[in-house]
């Protein structure tokens, strides 16, 4: 089904409500969220069984359709067709706010492109809750979601964040939290302030505040740290340390390029050096060209490897 875009300023009938639901404590469901669920013609739920349990508790009976990571794109046509008929659709995830490490982005983008109204019904999110209790600066932060499951990919992602000055927020699974903390220590250093919040708003809610090294050491002996839903807040790098890290990265990049240049063409040198140092390939490519004595405008484009 093709989605016909609306003209500028035009809003077609039908509406998608993006509804935040509790992450643990049912008392966190707002009256507005309950009203949106009551009034929806249909509720698109990440897990219909879990949402059915929530609806039963609050005494709401509405039709449910599944919309999760594996079928979201297949559901778009159905939802858009419902909106075209003037229906109201409520989007919910298993817990918290949809789209934040949960499905919904592809749907919202398609609904907006088709000219229908999208309304946020805000509420609980572990991101904001963890920031509020971490005792780590919140004036600037970035959300990184779940780190990669494989250690090599996780270390590479963390290496790219090593000099990030903003507070970092991660989600992590119980069975990977020890490995993730060990890798954070290896990439960020043991002294970086951090907080691990688990089971936020639930009976066993606990927040551990320490350095990354302290959290990693405790995780090795305290099995409770690896239970339940986990949100990890890590302080950004201090300005002076960030400068030192950037200088160290530049030095390491130069040494790596010089070691590889006698044996490989600049494009391959750049790809390998960028992976080792944790910088963008374009930056490594510029250094590789300079070391090879090749003018930038006569070389192959940085996004390509030479044949």
């Amino acid at each position: 089904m093709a989605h016909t875009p609306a003209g500028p300023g035009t809003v077609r009938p039908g509406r998608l409500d993006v509804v935040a639901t509790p992450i643990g404590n049912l008392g966190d469901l707002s009256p507005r969220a309950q009203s949106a669920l009551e009034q929806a013609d249909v509720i698109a739920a990440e897990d219909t069984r879990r949402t059915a349990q929530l609806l039963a508790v609050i005494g709401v009976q509405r039709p449910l359709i599944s919309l999760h990571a594996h079928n979201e794109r297949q559901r778009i046509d159905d939802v858009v067709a419902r909106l075209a008929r003037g229906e109201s659709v409520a989007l919910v995830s298993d817990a918290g706010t949809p789209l934040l490490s949960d499905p919904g982005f592809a749907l919202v983008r398609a609904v907006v492109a088709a000219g229908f109204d999208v309304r946020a019904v805000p509420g609980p999110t572990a991101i904001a809750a963890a920031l509020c209790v971490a005792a780590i600066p919140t004036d600037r932060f970035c959300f990184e979601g779940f780190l990669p499951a494989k250690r090599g990919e996780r270390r590479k992602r963390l290496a790219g964040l090593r000099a990030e000055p903003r507070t970092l927020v991660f989600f992590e699974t119980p069975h990977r939290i020890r490995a993730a903390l060990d890798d954070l220590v290896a990439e960020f250093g043991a002294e970086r302030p951090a907080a691990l919040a688990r089971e936020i708003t639930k009976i066993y809610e606990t927040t551990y505040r320490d350095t990354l090294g302290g959290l990693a050491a405790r995780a090795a002996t305290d099995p409770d740290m690896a239970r339940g839903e986990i949100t990890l807040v890590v302080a950004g790098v201090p300005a002076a340390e960030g400068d030192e890290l950037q200088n160290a990265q530049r030095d390491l990049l130069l040494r790596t390029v010089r070691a590889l240049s006698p044996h490989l063409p600049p494009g391959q040198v750049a790809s390998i050096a960028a992976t080792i140092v944790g910088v963008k390939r374009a930056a490594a490519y510029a250094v590789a060209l300079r070391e090879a004595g090749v003018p930038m405008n006569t070389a192959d484009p940085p996004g390509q490897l030479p044949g």
Side-chain angles (χ1 to χ4, degrees), residues 11-293:
V11 177
R12 301 167 68 182
R15 186 184 68 238
L16 176 68
D17 289 341
V18 182
V19 183
T21 56
I23 56 178
N25 192 319
L26 289 176
D28 292 335
L29 183 72
S30 72
R32 185 170 171 232
Q34 179 162 342
S35 177
L37 296 175
E38 290 172 343
Q39 295 175 18
D41 292 298
V42 66
I43 297 172
E46 184 177 7
D47 185 333
T48 55
R49 294 166 300 180
R50 185 161 179 169
T51 300
Q53 293 173 351
L54 170 64
L55 296 180
V57 170
I58 63 176
V60 172
Q61 291 185 336
R62 303 308 302 149
L64 293 167
I65 60 172
S66 67
L67 190 147
H68 48 72
H70 303 293
N71 76 347
E72 180 176 358
R73 295 190 181 278
Q74 288 71 41
R75 285 291 191 201
I76 288 175
D77 286 347
D78 177 41
V79 172
V80 170
R82 290 174 181 273
L83 298 177
R85 295 195 295 266
E87 294 184 16
S88 171
V89 179
L91 172 67
V92 299
S93 58
D94 284 353
T97 302
L99 280 75
L100 303 182
S101 273
D102 280 327
F105 170 68
L107 175 65
V108 168
R109 183 166 59 179
V111 168
V112 170
F116 297 103
D117 189 21
V118 178
R119 182 177 68 171
V121 184
T125 167
I127 301 166
L131 283 165
C132 288
V133 300
I136 290 173
T138 58
D139 53 334
R140 297 180 66 214
F141 67 89
C142 55
F143 174 57
E144 287 292 323
F146 286 93
L147 288 167
K150 294 182 179 179
R151 185 171 184 268
E153 294 176 5
R154 186 167 57 240
R155 289 288 294 268
K156 183 178 179 181
R157 171 82 64 83
L158 291 173
L161 296 169
R162 193 183 302 148
E164 172 58 60
R166 295 171 294 179
T167 294
L168 294 154
V169 184
F170 302 96
F171 287 161
E172 195 47 88
T173 61
H175 68 278
R176 288 204 302 261
I177 187 59
R178 285 183 60 182
L181 285 169
D182 288 342
D183 288 341
L184 278 159
V185 169
E187 294 296 339
F188 289 7
E191 299 306 312
R192 188 82 70 91
L196 186 153
R198 56 176 289 270
E199 293 293 86
I200 296 173
T201 79
K202 301 178 184 178
I203 295 174
Y204 297 106
E205 177 176 354
T206 311
T207 303
Y208 305 85
R209 303 174 186 87
D210 206 329
T211 61
L212 283 172
L215 290 177
R218 181 161 186 170
T221 59
D222 183 355
D224 285 340
M225 287 183 72
R227 293 193 174 117
E229 304 290 333
I230 297 170
T231 306
L232 191 61
V233 181
V234 181
V237 66
E241 185 181 342
D243 292 340
E244 292 172 5
L245 278 171
Q246 290 173 14
N247 289 335
Q249 266 192 324
R250 283 193 289 269
D251 291 343
L252 177 58
L253 177 59
L254 183 58
R255 292 198 303 272
T256 304
V257 167
R258 286 177 174 171
L260 295 171
S261 291
H263 312 288
L264 297 168
Q268 292 181 19
V269 169
S271 295
I272 297 170
T275 300
I276 292 173
V277 182
V279 298
K280 292 183 177 180
R281 183 180 182 278
Y285 188 71
V287 175
L289 289 179
R290 187 170 66 246
E291 288 300 306

